[in-house]
Amino acid sequence: MTSQPADNSQSGSIDHVLSEDRVFPPPAEFTQNAVISSVQQYDEMAAAARDTPDEFWRQEALEHLHWFEPFSDVCQWDAPDAKWFVGGKTNACYNCVDAHVEAGRGDKTAIIWEGEPGDARTLTYRELQREVAKCAEAYEQLGVGEGDVVSIYMPMTPELAIAMLACARIGAIHSVIFAGFSAESIADRNNDASAKLVITSDGLYRRGKVLPLKETVDEALAKSTTVEKCLVLRRTGGDETPMTEGRDVWWHDVVDTQPGELAAKPLDSETPLFILYTSGSTGKPKGILHTTAGYNLWARRTFEWVFDYRDDDIYWCTADCGWITGHSYIVYGPMTAGATCLMYEGAPNHPAEDRFWDLVERHKVTVLYTAPTAVRAFIKWGDEHVDKHDLSSLRLLGSVGEGINPEAWMWYHNKIGGGRCPIVDTWWQTETGGIMMSPLPGITPTKPSSCTKPLPGVMPKIVDELGNEVDSEHGGKLCISKPWPGMLRGIWGDRERFIEQYFSDVPGQYLTGDNARCDRDGYYWIMGRIDDVINVSGHRLSTIEVESALVSHPHVCEAAVVGRPDDLKGQAIAAFVTTTGRDTDDEFLKELKQHVRKQIGALAQPDDIRITSGLPKTRSGKIMRRLLRDVAAGRELVGDTSTLEDLASIAQLQDSE
Ligand code: 6R9
């Protein structure tokens, strides 16, 4: 099981200590009916995208987007600047909504929505078209037009998707901010983007409570110098919502009263579509910019390929629209494909821990896309919540956001997927716009915890500290060597940071910020963020492998591993774990260390292990190792904590020192 790594502190490559031998071939049913149904088909697509990219993408764009005016050049690439489908005119909202109505599919259900309290709504594509047009008309009335930035700070209601699409309809740029961020974070984002309009709701339901969103927005608006108007959706009711005369207007007054006839505006391919702020590891969040045509095509095609889209699917992505996953795989990807999407407003454990499974059963969900953090929570809550429900409608499962530890993968596969559903472990980033590496469920044998292979058009490369390509069986920095349609077009207002962050390590190539290795079968394994690598006596270890070894212990639920300064070894390994039903005495800690030693070797054995009731996570569910590094080293917390889901979790860890 273990390898004997050499001292590689100079080369910058990463030791690989965990081996995973299980392989799950695709079920025959998939191979027969899949969108990509043979290895040969994939090979041909990948070869075409590599060897004749202009022809490949020209064909894709002509077939899968609507064009008001044709494009001339397919791609102009002058690193780091990419322009796709140059000179063409299209509209992402048209592609998502109007195209289906025009094609006679207006009566198909677009959104099946369920609120946390149990209220429900469905919208056909035709109804969605009307609602989006009304919202766009309201924007124009409020003085918002092409190129203006609209901040959206809303609960997961249909109006959130409507507000996004209405921006796309007129060429306004949306900046969705997770509902739940602080007033400070909203103001920072408003100011950085020079937002003109903010859309919010009176309140938000979360675990049965009402959070007063509008009050938070008011606090933010006091510090937002560019915002002129605030549009407020009534979601939770009650009449205490503070409204500022001349600035604030109700959705039901200005949107619902519109005729709903405004057509989608033909827009240049490179028209900015949205900004989405993602936390940098230090300093202020970056506004990642995506533009219209390339992003739209990438979102659609990756959705269809990876989720093996079929017309009768009931597709559910459990993400929030405040995350890139919600942008690409709740709104732009599935809707451009014309899919029926389930959208759920609330928490997975309200009113009880079986809420997701209840939703899957009642709506007969066929494709479920969620995050490892959710899977680990389900494992912790216990199988009995799953066992109550009939999940036989499911045919495909997806994972995104972090590496999924092999044991969590196995549970997801067996318990949720009944052993019959392939799992697509999708690796990508806000910056990449859509999925970059993932199994294709009809053809790719899966290995737990590997995101397997690049999608057609994705050219990954693994390099060392100096930017030289390394033997990819050793880990190194993951780069993408060629442009792809969905790539970011910049960091809003900060060109220098854009170049420095993504294009300076290996000139002309996109640096992902992740480490990865590629095995003999050409399968990629993401080894975590470059900044998270632990250097023990000259051996560079990836966090995910040590974490996976811990999680493979039957009483460990989640694990986060970080390096802390050590005089002797450079860094020592500190682990934070959450457990299920076992005494957490010294005996147990000893057993855990032994377990890791047995799984992956003495080198990777944690020096200290702390049992905790929770780990600090971002709102999209990623473990924040940066904060844990500070806790482990006994340092003050530094850098941006605005994306932290639960400040209490970190306070509790600090107290327990
Ligand atoms: C979509 C999204 C991006 C970072 C990325 C990587 C981690 C995402 C992953 C994964 C291992 C996967 N990540 N998916 N790591 N396996 N399947 O998450 O975007 O929020 O920008 O985060 O998330 O570290 O670099 P974003």
Side-chain angles (χ1 to χ4, degrees):
M1 282 287 274
T2 59
S3 59
Q4 286 302 317
D7 182 329
N8 57 11
S9 55
Q10 300 308 311
S11 72
S13 68
I14 314 292
D15 286 321
H16 148 56
V17 288
L18 183 78
S19 58
E20 172 58 66
D21 304 323
R22 289 168 286 197
V23 182
F24 297 84
E29 195 267 334
F30 261 93
T31 312
Q32 271 163 27
N33 303 315
V35 170
I36 296 180
S37 59
S38 72
V39 174
Q40 190 193 349
Q41 186 189 353
Y42 166 80
D43 286 345
E44 282 170 12
M45 287 167 75
R50 184 186 60 234
D51 302 335
T52 49
D54 279 9
E55 274 164 52
F56 180 81
W57 290 114
R58 179 187 303 279
Q59 208 45 46
E60 287 287 326
L62 290 175
E63 266 176 52
H64 301 289
L65 293 183
H66 166 83
W67 294 97
F68 295 100
E69 281 175 36
F71 52 90
S72 51
D73 286 4
V74 174
C75 176
Q76 289 175 355
W77 173 234
D78 180 10
D81 299 304
K83 285 191 181 131
W84 284 84
F85 311 116
V86 183
K89 286 203 193 309
T90 183
N91 183 296
C93 178
Y94 185 96
N95 293 321
C96 285
V97 180
D98 304 67
H100 308 304
V101 179
E102 294 296 316
R105 296 190 299 267
D107 294 331
K108 184 170 175 184
T109 301
I111 299 176
I112 304 172
W113 175 78
E114 203 169 298
E116 194 185 80
D119 45 344
R121 240 172 102 190
T122 59
L123 283 156
T124 64
Y125 275 97
R126 193 188 317 285
E127 288 163 340
L128 186 61
Q129 182 186 41
R130 182 104 203 280
E131 296 305 313
V132 168
K134 282 188 197 174
C135 184
E137 284 158 352
Y139 287 169
E140 296 206 325
Q141 202 168 310
L142 295 170
V144 171
E146 186 173 345
D148 289 332
V149 175
V150 177
S151 291
I152 302 178
Y153 182 78
M154 292 175 86
M156 281 291 288
T157 50
E159 285 80 3
L160 170 47
I162 290 165
M164 291 166 73
L165 290 164
C167 286
R169 197 167 190 81
I170 60 168
I173 305 164
H174 58 73
S175 162
V176 183
I177 304 170
F178 253 124
F181 272 176
S182 66
E184 201 67 42
S185 318
I186 306 167
D188 283 351
R189 286 157 174 78
N190 284 343
N191 290 330
D192 187 74
S194 308
K196 198 163 173 184
L197 170 70
V198 173
I199 310 180
T200 188
S201 69
D202 52 353
L204 161 93
Y205 293 107
R206 194 71 187 175
R207 292 195 183 92
K209 293 207 187 80
V210 172
L211 305 180
L213 285 199
K214 178 59 169 51
E215 283 175 25
T216 309
V217 167
D218 278 349
E219 221 183 302
L221 290 186
K223 298 181 204 143
S224 307
T225 48
T226 58
V227 175
E228 293 168 14
K229 296 277 178 196
C230 180
L231 175 58
V232 189
L233 175 77
R234 180 169 284 156
R235 169 65 190 123
T236 49
D239 35 36
E240 288 99 72
T241 310
M243 297 290 277
T244 300
E245 187 75 39
R247 183 193 70 190
D248 303 347
V249 288
W250 285 107
W251 183 286
H252 52 260
D253 288 336
V254 300
V255 179
D256 291 347
T257 49
Q258 302 290 338
E261 286 157 4
L262 186 74
K265 185 172 179 182
L267 296 167
D268 187 88
S269 292
E270 285 296 335
T271 305
L273 179 62
F274 65 84
I275 310 169
L276 184 58
Y277 284 87
T278 114
S279 59
S281 51
T282 52
K284 67 175 184 131
K286 314 170 276 214
I288 303 299
L289 172 69
H290 284 285
T291 58
T292 300
Y295 168 82
N296 196 175
L297 181 66
W298 190 248
R300 172 177 187 166
R301 295 305 281 152
T302 54
F303 169 76
E304 289 170 331
W305 294 336
V306 172
F307 297 105
D308 188 52
Y309 173 61
R310 299 175 196 184
D311 192 37
D312 57 355
D313 272 331
I314 306 289
Y315 163 83
W316 183 22
C317 168
T318 70
D320 190 284
C321 281
W323 184 21
I324 187 67
T325 305
H327 284 58
S328 303
Y329 299 109
I330 294 177
V331 180
Y332 293 106
M335 291 193 185
T336 307
T340 297
C341 305
L342 176 66
M343 188 173 178
Y344 169 59
E345 177 186 39
N349 54 352
H350 189 84
E353 281 77 3
D354 68 340
R355 184 68 187 260
F356 272 24
W357 317 123
D358 175 51
L359 280 157
V360 168
E361 179 174 8
R362 277 190 292 111
H363 296 287
K364 301 210 167 16
V365 171
T366 57
V367 178
L368 175 70
Y369 190 28
T370 193
T373 183
V375 174
R376 294 187 304 250
F378 300 139
I379 296 173
K380 191 172 174 122
W381 291 338
D383 289 2
E384 64 272 23
H385 303 291
V386 185
D387 293 337
K388 276 192 223 156
H389 296 279
D390 173 10
L391 306 183
S392 60
S393 59
L394 288 170
R395 66 179 189 92
L396 177 59
L397 304 174
S399 172
V400 59
E402 296 181 290
I404 178 162
N405 311 109
E407 289 323 307
W409 194 103
M410 289 306 300
W411 184 90
Y412 195 28
H413 179 71
N414 289 325
K415 198 74 213 166
I416 305 304
R420 74 184 178 277
C421 304
I423 295 179
V424 288
D425 177 356
T426 62
W427 174 82
W428 59 293
Q429 308 176 296
T430 305
E431 293 87 341
T432 68
I435 298 168
M436 300 291 275
M437 297 205 232
S438 168
L440 293 165
I443 61 164
T444 315
T446 48
K447 303 184 189 185
S449 217
S450 167
C451 60
T452 76
K453 298 198 176 190
L455 295 181
V458 175
M459 257 55 86
K461 203 158 139 182
I462 296 174
V463 301
D464 66 13
E465 290 295 302
L466 301 170
N468 298 316
E469 200 159 350
V470 294
D471 171 6
S472 52
E473 275 189 64
H474 284 284
K477 294 181 180 185
L478 177 64
C479 284
I480 311 292
S481 62
K482 292 276 160 48
W484 66 100
M487 75 190 295
L488 79 165
R489 299 297 196 269
I491 295 178
W492 190 255
D494 201 342
R495 182 157 178 92
E496 240 165 76
R497 196 170 172 197
F498 172 54
I499 295 171
E500 206 234 44
Q501 183 111 30
Y502 303 113
F503 290 94
S504 52
D505 269 43
V506 194
Q509 299 191 20
Y510 170 76
L511 181 78
T512 65
D514 282 348
N515 284 313
R517 70 182 178 89
C518 181
D519 70 17
R520 270 180 224 142
D521 298 328
Y523 277 46
Y524 285 81
W525 302 75
I526 303 298
M527 301 173 91
R529 302 295 293 166
I530 292 172
D531 297 342
D532 288 341
V533 167
I534 305 174
N535 195 325
V536 185
S537 312
H539 297 285
R540 289 159 51 87
L541 298 172
S542 93
T543 49
I544 178 92
E545 294 193 335
V546 184
E547 289 162 3
S548 291
L550 283 162
V551 171
S552 73
H553 187 283
H555 292 289
V556 172
C557 213
E558 282 194 300
V561 163
V562 295
R564 75 164 159 71
D566 182 273
D567 289 342
L568 228 53
K569 300 192 279 189
Q571 282 191 319
I573 301 178
F576 298 81
V577 301
T578 66
T579 60
T580 48
R582 223 313 298 244
D583 277 349
T584 51
D585 50 12
D586 284 353
E587 208 43 47
F588 179 61
L589 296 183
K590 238 189 256 161
E591 184 184 315
L592 272 186
K593 288 185 187 178
Q594 275 305 321
H595 178 78
V596 176
R597 195 189 182 97
K598 213 168 112 223
Q599 294 282 309
I600 57 178
L603 183 68
Q605 177 182 312
D607 294 85
D608 36 70
I609 300 181
R610 250 184 259 181
I611 309 290
T612 162
S613 61
L615 294 170
K617 296 198 185 143
T618 66
R619 289 177 199 266
S620 61
K622 291 188 216 304
I623 296 169
M624 287 183 101
R625 294 184 190 77
R626 177 170 60 79
L627 295 184
L628 291 173
R629 268 202 297 278
D630 291 338
V631 173
R635 280 193 298 262
E636 283 288 303
L637 299 186
V638 291
D640 176 37
T641 52
S642 67
T643 56
L644 187 67
E645 167 75 20
D646 174 17
L647 263 174
S649 63
I650 202 87
Q652 182 225 337
L653 281 167
Q654 286 175 313
D655 289 347
S656 70
E657 276 176 70

